[in-house]
Amino acid sequence: GSGLPAWSLIAFGAAAAAGFMSSAYREWRRRVERELPDLQAACRSAIESRGWDDALRIAGSLWWFWGSTDRHRDGRRWLEDALRGPASEADPAVRAWALAVLGYIAGQQLDLDVALPSGEEALALSIRHGDEVAVAVARQVLGLTWEAAGDHDRSAALLTQARAVFDAASLHHQVCNNDVVTCVRGLVTGDLDLVDRASREVLRRSALIDYDPHRWWTYLHYLRG
């Protein structure tokens, strides 16, 4: 670690969250790995001092790191510890994001007992807060979870709603996440026209944001189709 003060680590986490979605994602993963002990210490300190928002910001900012490095257990532990704080003492937007991240991680683990309630709470909070993009994020998390659980119709309805918001806001990463799921669904059902359309759209947007993980995934599954 670098011994950065807590406020700097919170800013570092926010920068990392953006960096993970850039062409420099490998470097940001290495930087987070170096800073992880200090980030954990800052998260624990915030919890001990009832600084729930700071703890939630740190844990939630690492969502891509938790999922891409197979650190689901660590991510869940950080998030669940921070989410034990009273909802009334946390910023609704910050808590909603942390709940969405918890839902995403638990969904990857196919732990529906955690993933679905977390996603639903994130959605309800975001609706009350009036943040359209946060609502779409929560719907996407729920859609990904239902897809993994095999409820393709419920997943498709949620993802369609979320995609419209992301597309209007030119949030290409989130649109790609949706379209990757659509591609998988097409492979499962044998709808190769759907696979072709979704794959081409992911490749187009991947070029716009210069992001290899989406591009590689699509090449793999497009060729498989």
Side-chain angles (χ1 to χ4, degrees):
S2 61
L4 291 170
W7 64 268
S8 294
L9 287 164
I10 294 166
F12 173 83
F20 293 146
M21 297 292 96
S22 75
S23 58
Y25 66 93
R26 291 188 188 90
E27 174 57 25
W28 275 104
R29 184 168 60 193
R30 288 192 290 268
R31 292 181 67 180
V32 168
E33 286 172 345
R34 290 195 299 269
E35 298 293 343
L36 200 59
D38 285 346
L39 288 162
Q40 184 175 23
C43 190
R44 286 177 177 168
S45 178
I47 291 170
E48 290 168 1
S49 63
R50 302 181 69 84
W52 306 115
D53 285 352
D54 289 348
L56 292 169
R57 285 189 177 97
I58 292 171
S61 68
L62 303 182
W63 70 273
W64 184 92
F65 180 78
W66 303 131
S68 67
T69 62
D70 199 26
R71 287 179 168 90
H72 301 88
R73 288 184 180 180
D74 290 341
R76 279 188 61 168
R77 186 172 64 251
W78 289 34
L79 287 159
E80 287 170 344
D81 286 349
L83 285 164
R84 290 194 180 98
S88 60
E89 296 181 20
D91 182 318
V94 174
R95 185 175 174 86
W97 173 257
L99 284 162
V101 174
L102 177 58
Y104 161 72
I105 293 172
Q108 285 197 324
Q109 296 176 306
L110 293 181
D111 185 349
L112 302 187
D113 290 340
V114 171
L116 294 175
S118 297
E120 293 289 358
E121 187 178 350
L123 179 58
L125 266 177
S126 299
I127 289 172
R128 288 202 299 270
H129 189 61
D131 186 330
E132 187 178 38
V133 171
V135 169
V137 167
R139 284 181 172 145
Q140 185 180 64
V141 165
L142 286 167
L144 294 173
T145 301
W146 281 119
E147 182 69 24
D151 193 330
H152 306 302
D153 290 342
R154 189 176 298 188
S155 170
L158 287 161
L159 292 177
T160 297
Q161 288 178 293
R163 191 187 190 282
V165 174
F166 295 144
D167 190 31
S170 296
L171 295 174
H172 301 301
H173 280 289
Q174 288 86 342
V175 173
C176 285
N177 288 338
N178 269 41
D179 288 353
V180 162
V181 176
T182 299
C183 183
V184 171
R185 188 181 302 122
L187 288 171
V188 170
T189 61
D191 187 344
L192 299 187
D193 287 339
L194 180 62
V195 173
D196 182 66
R197 290 195 304 274
S199 297
R200 290 180 185 278
E201 185 64 7
V202 173
L203 289 173
R204 182 183 76 82
R205 291 182 189 257
S206 296
L208 291 175
I209 55 181
D210 189 21
Y211 193 64
D212 285 337
H214 287 317
R215 186 182 293 124
W216 293 335
W217 191 99
T218 305
Y219 281 142
L220 174 65
H221 289 270
Y222 183 58
L223 291 173
R224 183 183 298 173

